[in-house]
Every structure is written in C-alpha cells, then in structure tokens.
Amino acid sequence: MKEARLLSTQARDPARHYQHSKIGYNYRMSNIDAGIGRGQLMHLDEHLRLKRAIYRKYKEAFADIEEITMNPLNPKAEANNWLSCMTVSEGSRVTPDMVMDALEAENIESRPIWKPMHLQPVFAEYAFFNHNEGVSVSEDIFNRGVCLPSDIKNTDADMELVIGIVRELFNK
C-alpha cells in the first residue's frame, strides 16, 4: 500500500525541492476534485487576472533590488503566471535558502524552482548533454530560484508581509 501511495503521488522523495528517485504518476483526482475543477473553470478569467496581479506586485516591489530577477515573461505570448518565481543574482550574500527560511519562520510556504530532470535520481543513469560547459541553464535557475507564494487567496496584507520579509533580507 505504501508503494502504491508513493507511485500515485508522483513518487516524490521527501525533500524540500521536487525530487524523484522513481517514476510516479498523478492519479489522485477524485470525483469531488474534478467537480471543483470544473466549477473553477467558470472563474478562469478572474483567476488569471489575480495571478497576473500577484506577479506584477512582486515585480514592482523588487524592481529596485538588483539582486532579484522575477521570472521573465515571453513578450510574444500572454503568460498565465501560475507561479511567480524569482532568482537571486550569482554571488549575492542572500541565498534562495535564506529567503525560504525567512518565509518559513513566518509560516509562509515557498519552494525552490523545480529540480531539473537531468538531476533527478530516477534519470541518473541517462546521459545529459549540456549546450555549454559548466552548469546548465536549468541547474543554474534551480540553484538560484525561489517560487514565491502565488495563491489567488493571498490578501494585500499577505503579499505585503512576503514582500517585506524578502526586502528586509536584501536591505540588511
């Protein structure tokens, strides 16, 4: 039963970042979840508007901090801003772990940006071909990135708290 649960929950290892030692699946949607999802589709435009507002709020709040870059948006497309992610400049005295730890100290969940496929234990035996020498682009983003709280239920006060905590780290 334990193995079945592991495989049905994407076989995610117990790590802060998303890491997989086995191939798993996401077969967890119940009829209730499907009904809720169908109901949410009626509010899709509103949810997209809120997600985009969250991203803009972070981008504007951190615009004056040179060490923070928000995930870039494709100018030829319209992003859904499902997640608002930031990267910390290489060599910054503030690390992604420091950001996540400071948020966690206030019971605010954040996560590293997804661990690249070629670094997942489940794919360790397979060749990875990097387009340049050194760290791959995806590994660099993983090492320097943080997924910030992006829930549409975030209030203005929630957003200000997150922004304040992150800004304080960089302004020390």
Side-chain angles (χ1 to χ4, degrees), residues 2 6 9-22 111-112 115 120-121:
K2 188 176 180 181
L6 174 73
T9 57
Q10 300 176 347
R12 183 173 169 218
D13 295 340
R16 185 180 221 177
H17 51 274
Y18 285 91
Q19 176 169 300
H20 305 274
S21 297
K22 295 182 177 185
R111 293 202 176 270
K115 189 171 188 178
Q120 297 288 346

Side-chain angles (χ1 to χ4, degrees), residues 4 23 29 34 38 49 59 61 68 76-77 82 88 93 116 122-123 128 154 170:
I23 302 259
M29 186 177 291
R38 188 168 182 244
R49 182 182 55 74
K59 188 164 178 77
I68 295 178
K76 296 180 180 180
W82 174 56
V88 177
R93 63 175 180 67
V122 69
F123 296 116
F128 169 73
N154 287 348
F170 286 89

Side-chain angles (χ1 to χ4, degrees), residues 2-147:
K2 188 176 180 181
E3 181 73 4
R5 177 163 299 283
L6 174 73
L7 294 176
S8 72
T9 57
Q10 300 176 347
R12 183 173 169 218
D13 295 340
R16 185 180 221 177
H17 51 274
Y18 285 91
Q19 176 169 300
H20 305 274
S21 297
K22 295 182 177 185
I23 302 259
Y25 306 91
N26 188 4
Y27 293 144
R28 295 174 291 159
M29 186 177 291
S30 68
N31 290 342
I32 292 170
D33 290 335
I36 291 169
R38 188 168 182 244
Q40 287 180 333
L41 285 174
M42 296 186 313
H43 304 282
L44 183 60
D45 290 337
E46 176 189 1
H47 291 187
L48 288 171
R49 182 182 55 74
L50 292 168
K51 288 288 194 174
R52 290 176 180 133
I54 290 167
Y55 175 85
R56 280 192 310 275
K57 186 158 185 105
Y58 283 134
K59 188 164 178 77
E60 290 167 10
F62 302 140
D64 63 324
I65 302 175
E66 291 182 20
E67 296 162 291
I68 295 178
T69 303
M70 292 300 294
N71 51 302
L73 303 179
N74 182 346
K76 296 180 180 180
E78 189 174 15
N80 65 19
N81 296 108
W82 174 56
L83 279 178
S84 292
C85 303
M86 62 178 260
T87 53
V88 177
S89 296
E90 195 172 337
S92 174
R93 63 175 180 67
V94 177
T95 67
D97 278 336
M98 290 168 68
V99 172
M100 290 182 283
D101 290 344
L103 292 170
E104 187 178 331
E106 296 297 325
N107 201 29
I108 300 170
E109 184 179 9
S110 62
R111 293 202 176 270
I113 290 179
W114 272 262
K115 189 171 188 178
M117 298 296 282
H118 71 282
L119 298 178
Q120 297 288 346
V122 69
F123 296 116
E125 67 185 84
Y126 300 100
F128 169 73
F129 300 96
N130 196 357
H131 73 282
N132 60 9
E133 290 188 33
V135 176
S136 68
V137 172
S138 59
E139 190 174 352
D140 178 52
I141 293 169
F142 170 67
N143 290 335
R144 297 185 302 109
V146 176
C147 296

